[in-house]
């Protein structure tokens, strides 16, 4: 394209100078405004025709308005038929207080050396757990028959709390630092020789 023709050319001619104008992109961009005007005109025509058809079908006819008459109505007094129904049956007698069940204290698992385990911290035998409930305390009582006992009374507080951990054991403690630092076998010097 000659420099004197640049000022008289459209931007499409400048962009597609020396390129294939028959490919399709040039024709799409050149006719874009005409396509946009055609689409806008067809949408306006379609919307106008739909509004016109709607107005034709919903046009009010010149029929006279109907007059609505309101009459007062007197309601009759209705008598209720009272039947002699038998009284409801008495409530069932209260249950007897539940007997205490045999419970075995749950021992949380801990990893310790064999000589550090106390006798009261030893887990119970499996045969003993067959007929007992697992709870927070050791308690003697009736053998477990699979019946769920009601919760222990909390004196109306509505709160049941877990037993407090002993002073030496804090199971809910959050660890801030690793207790045993990791290191290469043979120390830090062995780790640097790779």
């Amino acid at each position: 394209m000659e420099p004197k023709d640049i000022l008289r050319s459209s931007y499409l001619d400048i962009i597609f100078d020396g390129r294939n104008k028959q490919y399709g992109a040039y024709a799409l961009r050149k006719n874009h405004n005409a396509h946009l005007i055609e689409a806008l005109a067809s949408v306006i025509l379609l919307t106008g025709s739909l509004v016109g058809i709607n107005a034709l079908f919903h046009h009010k006819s010149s029929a006279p308005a109907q007059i609505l008459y309101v009459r007062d109505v007197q309601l009759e007094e209705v008598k209720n038929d009272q039947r002699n129904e038998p009284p409801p049956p008495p409530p069932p007698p209260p249950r007897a207080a539940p007997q205490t069940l045999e419970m075995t204290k749950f021992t949380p698992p801990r990893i310790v050396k064999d000589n550090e385990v106390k006798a009261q911290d030893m887990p119970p035998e499996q045969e003993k757990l067959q007929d007992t409930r697992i709870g927070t305390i050791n308690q003697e009582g009736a053998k477990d028959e699979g019946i769920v006992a009601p919760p222990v009374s909390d004196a109306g507080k509505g709160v049941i709390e877990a037993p407090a951990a002993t002073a030496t054991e804090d199971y809910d403690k959050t660890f801030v630092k690793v207790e045993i630092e990791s290191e290469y076998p043979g120390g830090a010097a062995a780790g640097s020789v790779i």
Side-chain angles (χ1 to χ4, degrees):
M1 179 177 284
E2 296 293 324
K4 62 181 180 183
D5 295 335
I6 290 178
L7 295 176
R8 285 185 257 139
S9 301
S10 68
Y11 73 95
L12 283 177
D13 292 330
I14 296 171
I15 291 174
F16 285 94
D17 183 39
R19 295 188 181 173
N20 187 2
K21 294 183 180 180
Q22 304 300 321
Y23 180 63
Y26 178 75
L28 283 175
R29 290 182 180 171
K30 188 171 185 177
N31 299 327
H32 175 70
N33 290 338
H35 292 166
L36 191 63
I37 290 171
E38 286 176 13
L40 184 62
S42 62
V43 167
I44 289 173
L45 183 64
L46 180 66
T47 305
S49 63
L50 288 176
V51 168
I53 291 171
N54 189 21
L56 275 174
F57 283 116
H58 289 79
H59 182 66
K60 291 188 177 182
S61 63
S62 59
Q66 295 180 354
I67 299 173
L68 182 65
Y69 294 103
V70 178
R71 287 186 265 155
D72 289 334
V73 177
Q74 295 292 329
L75 298 177
E76 296 178 13
E77 190 173 319
V78 179
K79 295 181 181 179
N80 290 335
D81 293 336
Q82 292 182 351
R83 298 179 184 157
N84 292 331
E85 295 181 9
R95 291 181 151 183
Q99 54 181 320
T100 57
L101 293 175
E102 183 176 349
M103 284 192 194
T104 304
K105 180 180 177 183
F106 171 71
T107 308
R110 293 186 308 146
I111 300 174
V112 295
K113 295 179 182 174
D114 289 337
N115 56 0
E116 294 180 7
V117 179
K118 299 174 188 170
Q120 68 264 18
D121 290 339
M122 290 291 291
E125 298 292 327
Q126 291 296 317
E127 291 80 26
K128 184 178 179 186
L129 293 177
Q130 295 290 333
D131 299 331
T132 61
R133 294 261 174 181
I134 297 176
T136 57
I137 57 171
N138 284 329
Q139 171 180 311
E140 294 296 324
K143 298 289 183 187
D144 182 22
E145 298 173 357
I147 301 172
V148 178
V152 179
S153 173
D154 59 346
K157 293 184 217 171
V159 177
I160 299 175
E161 296 179 3
T166 60
T168 58
E169 302 171 355
D170 187 14
Y171 296 113
D172 295 330
K173 177 181 171 187
T174 304
F175 290 105
V176 182
K177 183 177 182 274
V178 178
E179 292 179 352
I180 301 172
E181 295 287 337
S182 61
E183 62 180 29
Y184 291 103
S192 62
V193 181
I194 295 181

